[in-house]
Amino acid sequence: SGEIRIHGRLAALIEVGSGFHPELTGRENVYLSGSILGMRRREIDDNFDRIVDFAGVREFIDTPVKRYSSGMYVRLGFAIAAHLNPLVLLLDEVLAVGDATFQDKCLARIDELKRGGTTIVFISHDLGAVERLCDRVVLMRQGRMVSQGGAAEIIAEYERSATTFIDAGIPREQASQLPRTARVTGLTFHDQSGAETSALRTGDPFSVRLTYSARADVKDTAMWISIFSQNGELACQLSTKVDLPVLDLPSGSGTIEFRCGELGLQPGRYYIDTAIHENDWQVRCATLRVDPGIVLHGSFYMPHEVRHLPDAPSPELVPPPAPDESVSNAARA
């Protein structure tokens, strides 16, 4: 609770492309969305060419946006918002748009607004962007301010807290179906030396340890670790069924360790779910940061070996047999 007093022009970019009408062209939507976001028509006229060039859609500016790809759509939406020039700008998780080149352009534009004196409130889980853009960072948890300070200091605190296993409980719709005779009580990542870590590198060996507690013996079960990307897509999964088709958990507590020869995930932040078959399901109970290691393009690094196989020598050509004269003469006859 509290009071906020605003002196001057404030703009909020909560959802990229807000106010777009699918039947209108890109040109018409620049004016529509710009007006909704608080720009005057003269401002839009003055910035129109810069907005179109920033979005990179000049060739399609007179095409209805319903025919745009999702990337073109969000690029145009961000380009409009990026030219608002307010005194205070609120940005809520809006930088995950377009490819890496366009994201760099977005960050450069925000830097330009910042240097021009715009006050920016930036809400994000993209720690790289937070560290690059923000002078002061506030860490929130369940609607309350936990701490505040410099970017590096608060990001380090967030990473320490985010990688700690949290008993998130079973989703409400499954709560009545899972008895939790056995439940996951902890999850930790370990590097090649066995030391616990909050960050791994693409291509590095690692292990994951799941601790559990069982109120009674659990026969023929299985355990999973599901790793999700920031956009909610399942990146990969580890399962005891690969090496232990039948897993029995005795009553009490214990640890299951998964060992991986190489980490295939590309750099980024990932969220973890864990499960014990028909007993427990922990949603977003931990996070993992993956730093650059082996550098390859694509969404996933495929562990592989390379061998050079020299060409085999070509077989010697054997000349065809000479024609049989008697057969040739008979054929002519």
Side-chain angles (χ1 to χ4, degrees):
S1 61
E3 181 180 288
I4 297 175
R5 295 185 180 183
I6 299 171
H7 299 278
R9 181 176 173 183
L10 179 142
L13 183 54
I14 307 301
E15 183 177 354
V16 174
S18 58
F20 275 15
H21 192 295
E23 299 296 335
L24 299 181
T25 66
R27 182 186 302 274
E28 292 165 334
N29 271 297
V30 169
Y31 284 89
L32 175 63
S33 180
S35 299
I36 291 173
L37 292 172
M39 298 174 73
R40 298 180 179 86
R41 184 177 183 88
R42 183 174 178 178
E43 288 181 88
I44 301 174
D45 288 338
D46 292 343
N47 286 294
F48 183 83
D49 287 335
R50 285 189 289 271
I51 290 171
V52 175
D53 290 338
F54 191 96
V57 295
R58 182 168 295 278
E59 184 179 353
F60 308 98
I61 195 61
D62 292 310
T63 301
V65 297
K66 67 180 181 180
R67 306 190 191 281
Y68 282 18
S69 68
S70 58
M72 294 165 62
Y73 192 92
V74 296
R75 290 204 308 271
L76 183 59
F78 188 92
I80 297 168
H83 290 81
L84 287 173
N85 294 320
L87 293 175
V88 180
L89 177 62
L90 308 182
L91 299 174
D92 187 0
E93 297 283 16
V94 294
L95 288 184
V97 296
D99 55 21
T101 302
F102 186 76
Q103 290 182 24
D104 286 341
K105 188 189 291 187
C106 295
L107 290 169
R109 174 59 180 163
I110 293 173
D111 280 335
E112 183 181 341
L113 291 172
K114 181 179 172 183
R115 290 193 302 272
T118 301
T119 296
I120 299 172
V121 180
F122 180 56
I123 304 96
S124 181
H125 290 88
D126 184 344
L127 301 186
V130 170
E131 188 166 15
R132 172 175 171 177
L133 294 174
C134 301
D135 303 312
R136 175 170 168 261
V137 175
V138 173
L139 178 60
M140 307 290 291
R141 184 175 296 124
Q142 296 181 345
R144 296 181 179 274
M145 185 175 70
V146 177
S147 57
Q148 59 178 308
E153 171 193 352
I154 302 303
I155 286 173
E157 180 178 347
Y158 171 75
E159 289 189 324
R160 286 193 299 270
S161 63
T163 53
T164 302
F165 175 83
I166 300 173
D167 189 338
I170 302 170
R172 186 177 302 172
E173 58 272 19
Q174 276 83 30
S176 61
Q177 305 171 20
L178 299 177
R180 300 197 85 180
T181 303
R183 62 187 183 90
V184 176
T185 58
L187 179 148
T188 54
F189 287 90
H190 300 261
D191 61 20
Q192 187 174 9
S193 67
E196 186 175 336
T197 182
S198 61
L200 296 167
R201 297 191 310 167
T202 302
D204 280 0
F206 73 100
S207 61
V208 192
R209 295 175 188 172
L210 276 182
T211 57
Y212 67 88
S213 176
R215 292 186 282 111
D217 293 350
V218 179
K219 300 293 186 181
D220 193 14
T221 188
M223 299 178 75
W224 290 277
I225 298 173
S226 301
I227 303 177
F228 294 85
S229 62
Q230 285 190 322
N231 60 11
E233 294 182 354
L234 179 61
C236 64
Q237 193 174 64
L238 309 178
S239 172
T240 57
K241 283 190 170 295
V242 174
D243 285 333
L244 298 172
V246 177
L247 175 65
D248 297 329
L249 301 180
S251 61
S253 59
T255 301
I256 298 293
E257 182 179 62
F258 298 82
R259 287 184 172 273
C260 301
E262 291 184 81
L263 176 62
L265 298 173
Q266 292 284 40
R269 179 167 294 277
Y270 296 86
Y271 302 103
I272 313 298
D273 287 7
T274 62
I276 301 178
H277 182 58
E278 295 184 345
N279 276 273
D280 191 20
W281 181 18
Q282 298 284 336
V283 178
R284 303 301 189 267
C285 59
T287 63
L288 171 67
R289 191 184 85 228
V290 178
D291 293 332
I294 294 176
V295 179
L296 290 173
H297 296 292
S299 58
F300 196 85
Y301 159 66
M302 179 69 72
H304 57 276
E305 296 181 354
V306 179
R307 289 192 300 162
H308 179 198
L309 301 177
D311 291 339
S314 301
E316 294 183 3
L317 295 178
V318 178
D324 190 331
E325 289 294 329
S326 60
V327 173
S328 298
N329 293 332
R332 283 195 294 272

